[in-house]
């Protein structure tokens, strides 16, 4: 049986690309979402030359209408989704007393509101009403830093949203979870290499239903 599509939002040269590659190599048609159209096209072409099915979709997570339209288009072109991965965040240094209101609103739009839009758009599109909604969280949700305040607030809010959605979907065939990454992606620790992390997301999607939890603490 062919597999449903995997929609990966936030595809860059690190974890995002590794996620797209992992799900593509597992046999899912993959939609790559991001703002850099040229880079996305390059990644999609590379996957296609490997014999995978992949397409690029330019979208800004801070634009609800645009994101919804891009997700709907991908589902139409690649088939009903089986996986959503929301891997988007604005990472910029800021402090609790130095936040700019407009910039803070923008970071929340990307870090949190985009995830809400993605989930609400994809849920009714899931193939046979089953699949996985996976969100990239972080240790900052549990231990916020005054050096990256907006990201800390965003990860905490995302965690609360995903856990609420997880509880709402309990008893259904939809696996909702966040991956709280407690280390530097691509740093010296090989456990936090993009490929190792992407394998953990794929494993979550393949988990038996009796093992589903609202959060994977990846430390």
């Amino acid at each position: 049986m062919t597999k449903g599509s995997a929609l990966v939002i936030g595809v860059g040269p690190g974890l995002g690309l590794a996620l797209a590659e992992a799900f593509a190599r597992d046999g899912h048609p993959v939609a790559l979402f991001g703002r850099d159209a040229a880079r996305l096209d390059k990644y999609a072409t590379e996957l296609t030359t490997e014999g995978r099915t992949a397409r690029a979709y330019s979208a800004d997570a801070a634009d609800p209408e645009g994101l919804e339209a891009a997700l709907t288009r991908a589902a139409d072109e690649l088939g009903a989704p089986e996986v959503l991965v929301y891997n988007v965040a604005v990472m910029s240094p800021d402090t609790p007393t130095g936040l700019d209101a407009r910039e803070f609103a923008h970071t929340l739009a990307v870090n949190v509101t985009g995830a809400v839009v993605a989930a609400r758009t994809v849920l009714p599109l899931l193939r046979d009403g089953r699949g996985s909604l996976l969100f990239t969280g972080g240790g900052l949700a549990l231990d916020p830093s005054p050096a990256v305040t907006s990201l800390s607030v965003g990860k905490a809010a995302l965690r609360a949203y995903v856990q609420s959605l997880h509880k709402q979907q309990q008893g259904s065939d939809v696996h909702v979870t966040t991956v709280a990454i407690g280390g530097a992606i691509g740093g010296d620790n090989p456990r936090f290499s993009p490929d190792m992390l992407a394998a953990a997301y794929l494993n979550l999607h393949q988990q038996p239903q009796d093992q589903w939890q609202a959060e994977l603490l990846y430390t």
Side-chain angles (χ1 to χ4, degrees), residues 73-126:
R73 180 183 163 205
D76 287 342
E77 294 179 348
L78 294 177
E82 188 177 321
V83 184
L84 166 69
V85 182
Y86 193 82
N87 179 58
V88 188
V90 175
M91 303 179 189
S92 58
D94 49 28
T95 66
T97 54
L99 289 172
D100 176 83
R102 290 185 181 276
E103 291 180 4
F104 186 53
H106 173 72
T107 61
L108 289 180
V110 174
N111 296 346
V112 185
T113 307
V116 176
V117 171
R120 291 188 59 182
T121 302
V122 172
L123 263 172
L125 302 176
L126 286 174

Side-chain angles (χ1 to χ4, degrees), residues 31-193:
L32 295 77
F33 298 85
R35 292 188 300 170
D36 190 330
R39 182 166 64 186
L40 292 176
D41 285 338
K42 175 177 177 291
Y43 294 156
T45 298
E46 290 171 352
L47 286 170
T48 301
T49 58
E50 293 182 7
R52 318 299 175 183
T53 300
R55 292 192 184 183
Y57 298 88
S58 181
D60 185 342
D63 174 12
E65 292 79 14
L67 179 59
E68 180 179 356
L71 289 165
T72 302
R73 180 183 163 205
D76 287 342
E77 294 179 348
L78 294 177
E82 188 177 321
V83 184
L84 166 69
V85 182
Y86 193 82
N87 179 58
V88 188
V90 175
M91 303 179 189
S92 58
D94 49 28
T95 66
T97 54
L99 289 172
D100 176 83
R102 290 185 181 276
E103 291 180 4
F104 186 53
H106 173 72
T107 61
L108 289 180
V110 174
N111 296 346
V112 185
T113 307
V116 176
V117 171
R120 291 188 59 182
T121 302
V122 172
L123 263 172
L125 302 176
L126 286 174
R127 185 179 187 181
D128 299 324
R130 64 176 63 237
S132 300
L133 307 186
L134 310 176
F135 301 82
T136 298
L140 291 171
L142 302 170
D143 184 17
S145 168
V148 280
T149 302
S150 61
L151 181 59
S152 298
V153 173
K155 289 302 183 185
L158 177 65
R159 181 174 187 262
Y161 172 72
V162 174
Q163 293 202 0
S164 297
L165 184 60
H166 172 86
K167 291 176 181 178
Q168 183 197 58
Q169 296 299 315
Q170 281 182 321
S172 75
D173 292 320
V174 181
H175 185 189
V176 180
T177 191
T178 182
V179 181
I181 301 172
I185 299 174
D188 294 335
N189 188 339
R191 177 166 168 77
F192 292 94
S193 71

